[in-house]
């Protein structure tokens, strides 16, 4: 707890002539007979909160914060208590029952000012501070930073800080920082508007205070009710504007990050020279601002083989999305280098094990390599759902998944068998992540759509003549509708078509 703070020079009373200065009893905003619309119940020995019927932006007219128990310093004096003010022992118990942190809530539309100034006897008597609607502003006073921290509740909108207050601590290099007290308050109240009070003519210090983070600065000797009222309103609105601008900037940065991740997770396929047609669809889950861990890619190697891949990193945060980007890039590089099947997946597992942030992170993967003639393909599954194959004259069906290997990152030294499948002369091959089959369906939506439900849905859509990207769009939208709203997991789907 900071040591008792000595008095600073007295601050002149209101000088504008709007109202005569009244004697301060029990603090700068103490009981003023007939001067306040509120009923001030007793003198507060420490920091106080009073509604001033005048020109500050409003709180409850007539509402006063409950007095706070005194903080006694080593020399026996009450921390923050005005000289000569003594608490009535009979009132000590009921006063102690009230917590200043949970003061009376300020009604909507009112403003509350917390004044931190260590000489309440010489503080400016602020007469009739009203907001533009005529509502009074509640004023709380604190004589040091310890009191201020206790009185700084969520209903405080603005802080009036005397820069002459002693700093809470010296700088690390032993030099004095003239704005150390302001920096301390800004750290204590990052979401509150702050007005700096400085000596008259000290423009340089006031400007520096604004540069550090205060919304405005005022001169002690020029302070009056009208000026303070206007400054409070300006500071509060400027703080709101700053916060809105910061949120807009953060939103733009998130959008840019989303775009970068999207380019990494969902790249342009490299299919130059291939007769196959490519389509893809992605829908992020409702609970995330960024893409999740779903990723896919398609490339054609010089020998004419078309390689397609789709994967899903467990989790939905930016770390998982970044890991998905790394795995996709690694897959493309290894595929173009000639690796496939078990050798490719084993190397990807090594990449995952080195790059993941937690040993429990894993990824599922499905890879397909289609022969240059387009009639057959090799299939490897690492804990991933099997692709769906649609051919003319036959119902759409899932490719075999009996030799499905474990997800990447689960078992050291795992193997992933490569299965050979016949495709035929004309076909459509759909690869997807589990977000497509894990949506809820039915009454009460207690059941999952599952692979069987997805196959039945795609068969019906194919019978309706849907193909390519139109089919993928219809499938994702119908799964969402069956779920009764946005899916909780990301959905990535890609389709390769071959026509004779």
């Amino acid at each position: 707890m900071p040591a008792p703070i000595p008095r600073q020079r007295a601050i002149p009373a209101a000088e504008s002539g709007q109202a005569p200065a009244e004697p301060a009893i029990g603090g700068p905003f103490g009981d003023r007979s007939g001067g306040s619309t509120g009923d001030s119940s007793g003198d507060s020995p420490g920091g106080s909160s009073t509604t001033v019927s005048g020109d500050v932006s409003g709180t409850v007219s007539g509402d006063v914060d409950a007095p706070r128990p005194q903080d006694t310093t080593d020399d026996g004096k009450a921390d923050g208590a005005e000289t000569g003010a003594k608490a009535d022992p009979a009132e000590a118990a009921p006063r102690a029952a009230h917590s200043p942190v949970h003061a009376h809530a300020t009604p909507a539309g009112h403003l509350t000012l917390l004044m931190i100034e260590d000489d309440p006897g010489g503080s400016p008597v602020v007469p009739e501070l009203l907001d533009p609607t005529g509502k009074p502003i509640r004023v709380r006073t604190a004589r040091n930073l310890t009191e201020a921290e206790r009185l700084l509740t969520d209903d405080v909108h603005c802080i009036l800080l005397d820069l002459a207050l002693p700093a809470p601590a010296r700088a690390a290099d032993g030099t004095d920082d003239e704005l150390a007290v302001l920096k301390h308050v800004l750290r204590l109240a990052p979401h509150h508007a702050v007005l700096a009070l400085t000596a008259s003519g000290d423009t340089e210090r006031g400007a520096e205070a604004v540069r550090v983070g205060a919304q405005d600065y005022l001169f002690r000797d020029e302070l009056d009710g009208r000026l303070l009222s206007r400054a409070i309103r300006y500071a509060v609105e400027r703080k709101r504007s700053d916060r809105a601008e910061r949120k807009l900037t953060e939103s733009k940065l998130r959008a840019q990050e989303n775009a970068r991740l999207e380019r990494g997770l969902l790249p342009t396929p490299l299919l130059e020279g291939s007769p196959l047609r490519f389509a893809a669809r992605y829908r992020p889950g409702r609970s995330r601002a960024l893409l999740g861990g779903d990723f896919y890619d398609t490339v054609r190697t010089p020998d004419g083989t078309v390689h397609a891949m789709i994967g899903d990193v467990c989790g939905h945060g930016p770390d998982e999305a970044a890991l998905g980007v790394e795995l996709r890039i690694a897959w493309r590089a290894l595929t173009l280098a000639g690796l496939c099947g078990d050798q490719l997946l084993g190397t990807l597992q090594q990449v995952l094990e080195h790059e993941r942030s937690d040993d429990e992170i894993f990824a599922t993967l499905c890879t397909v390599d289609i022969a240059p003639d387009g009639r057959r393909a090799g299939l490897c599954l690492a804990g991933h759902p099997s692709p769906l194959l649609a051919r003319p004259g036959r119902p759409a069906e899932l490719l075999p998944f009996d030799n499905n290997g474990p997800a990447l990152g689960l078992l050291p030294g795992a193997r992933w068998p490569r299965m050979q499948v016949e495709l035929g002369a004309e076909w459509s091959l759909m690869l997807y992540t589990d977000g497509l089959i894990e949506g809820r369906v039915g009454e009460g939506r207690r059941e999952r759509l599952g692979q069987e439900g997805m196959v039945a849905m795609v068969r019906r859509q194919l019978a309706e003549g849907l193909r390519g990207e139109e089919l993928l769009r219809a499938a994702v939208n119908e799964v969402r509708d069956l779920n009764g709203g946005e899916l909780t997991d990301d959905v990535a789907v890609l389709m390769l078509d071959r026509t004779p």
Side-chain angles (χ1 to χ4, degrees):
M1 179 178 296
I5 300 175
R7 289 177 177 270
Q8 301 296 311
R9 67 179 182 83
I11 302 176
E15 298 176 357
S16 64
Q18 293 179 353
E22 299 179 24
I25 304 176
F29 303 100
D31 184 15
R32 303 176 191 168
S33 325
S36 163
T37 57
D39 180 16
S40 181
S41 57
D43 300 338
S44 173
S48 64
S49 173
T50 307
T51 300
V52 180
S53 100
D55 190 17
V56 188
S57 352
T59 35
V60 188
S61 180
D63 190 11
V64 180
D65 278 67
R68 181 179 63 260
Q70 297 181 7
D71 293 330
T72 304
T73 57
D74 294 338
D75 61 359
K77 294 181 181 179
D79 181 12
E82 185 177 352
T83 304
K86 296 182 180 179
D88 186 349
E91 297 179 358
R95 286 185 179 184
H98 295 277
S99 170
V101 177
H102 303 286
H104 299 295
T106 303
H110 291 250
L111 293 178
T112 301
L113 173 70
L114 174 60
M115 187 174 71
I116 310 175
E117 202 277 330
D118 72 338
D119 188 9
S123 297
V125 178
V126 182
E128 304 197 352
L129 295 173
L130 298 175
D131 68 7
T133 64
K135 297 177 182 178
I137 296 177
R138 162 177 269 170
V139 180
R140 295 179 183 173
T141 60
R143 280 173 277 189
N144 54 51
L145 297 177
T146 302
E147 286 187 7
E149 187 170 359
R150 289 199 300 266
L151 292 174
L152 189 61
T153 52
D154 290 339
D155 58 344
V156 173
H157 299 86
C158 185
I159 298 172
L160 178 61
L161 173 66
D162 187 356
L163 296 182
L165 278 173
R170 295 175 65 87
D173 58 2
T175 60
D176 290 324
D177 185 351
E178 291 185 346
L179 297 178
V181 64
L182 172 61
K183 295 175 182 178
H184 181 84
V185 170
L186 292 174
R187 288 193 297 269
L188 189 67
H191 303 300
H192 293 74
V194 177
L195 289 171
L197 191 62
T198 187
S200 297
D202 195 356
T203 305
E204 183 177 349
R205 191 179 186 186
E208 182 66 12
V210 173
R211 188 192 67 79
V212 168
Q215 272 61 58
D216 203 350
Y217 66 93
L218 301 169
F219 296 136
R220 292 190 190 91
D221 296 339
E222 298 178 7
L223 194 65
D224 59 47
R226 178 179 298 177
L227 175 63
L228 180 57
S229 175
R230 184 170 62 249
I232 291 170
R233 297 196 298 267
Y234 169 77
V236 171
E237 292 306 319
R238 180 175 178 181
K239 187 67 176 182
R240 289 174 181 170
S241 176
D242 290 344
R243 293 180 65 182
E245 184 176 355
R246 183 169 61 253
K247 288 181 178 179
L248 179 60
T249 301
E250 291 173 353
S251 177
K252 291 180 179 179
L253 291 175
R254 284 196 300 269
Q256 293 172 2
E257 184 177 356
N258 189 69
R260 287 194 297 270
L261 284 173
E262 183 175 281
R263 287 194 298 270
L265 291 167
L266 317 176
T268 302
L270 299 179
L271 289 176
E272 185 177 358
S274 172
L276 302 182
R277 293 181 302 175
F278 172 89
R281 189 77 177 170
Y282 180 88
R283 182 189 288 272
R286 64 185 175 194
S287 62
R288 291 172 301 283
L290 297 175
L291 297 174
D294 292 7
F295 55 97
Y296 63 77
D297 202 353
T298 305
V299 299
R300 179 177 183 268
T301 50
D303 63 355
T305 302
V306 172
H307 303 261
M309 170 273 292
I310 194 165
D312 184 3
V313 177
C314 70
H316 307 289
D319 291 340
E320 287 77 12
L323 181 57
V325 173
E326 293 176 348
L327 291 176
R328 186 206 62 77
I329 294 174
W331 178 88
R332 175 176 282 197
L334 294 170
T335 299
L336 292 175
L339 276 68
C340 67
D342 186 74
Q343 186 180 13
L344 172 61
L345 293 176
T347 307
L348 285 177
Q349 174 158 282
Q350 294 180 34
V351 173
L352 182 145
E353 291 171 346
H354 286 291
E355 297 297 331
R356 63 186 175 184
S357 58
D358 189 289
D359 289 343
E360 296 183 358
I361 298 294
F362 63 90
T364 66
L365 201 69
C366 168
T367 67
V368 176
D369 52 279
I370 303 169
D373 62 6
R375 291 180 170 271
R376 59 190 180 279
L379 171 66
C380 285
L381 298 175
H384 200 88
S386 182
L388 182 143
L389 177 64
R391 292 174 286 189
R394 302 183 187 182
E397 60 183 354
L398 297 174
L399 291 180
F401 51 87
D402 297 337
N403 291 328
N404 193 341
L408 303 180
L410 290 183
L411 298 176
R415 302 299 297 271
W416 296 270
R418 179 177 177 273
M419 297 170 282
Q420 189 74 21
V421 294
E422 295 295 327
L423 301 177
E426 183 177 355
W427 47 265
S428 295
L429 187 63
M430 188 175 82
L431 285 66
Y432 54 92
T433 57
D434 57 6
L436 188 67
I437 60 177
E438 290 186 350
R440 300 288 180 173
V441 296
E443 186 176 354
R445 296 185 174 83
R446 299 178 179 177
E447 300 179 359
R448 300 282 189 182
L449 174 64
Q451 287 182 292
E452 293 183 0
M454 181 204 66
V455 171
M457 177 187 69
V458 173
R459 285 177 179 175
R460 175 172 45 79
Q461 292 170 342
L462 287 169
E464 296 171 357
L466 300 180
R467 296 291 186 276
E469 188 169 346
E470 187 179 14
L471 172 64
L472 300 185
R473 183 184 302 110
V476 173
N477 289 341
E478 183 169 339
V479 169
R480 175 188 176 278
D481 293 341
L482 291 172
N483 190 63
E486 291 294 346
L487 301 165
T488 57
D489 197 4
D490 301 319
V491 176
V493 193
L494 71 85
M495 178 169 283
L496 291 170
D497 293 305
R498 183 180 188 273
T499 57

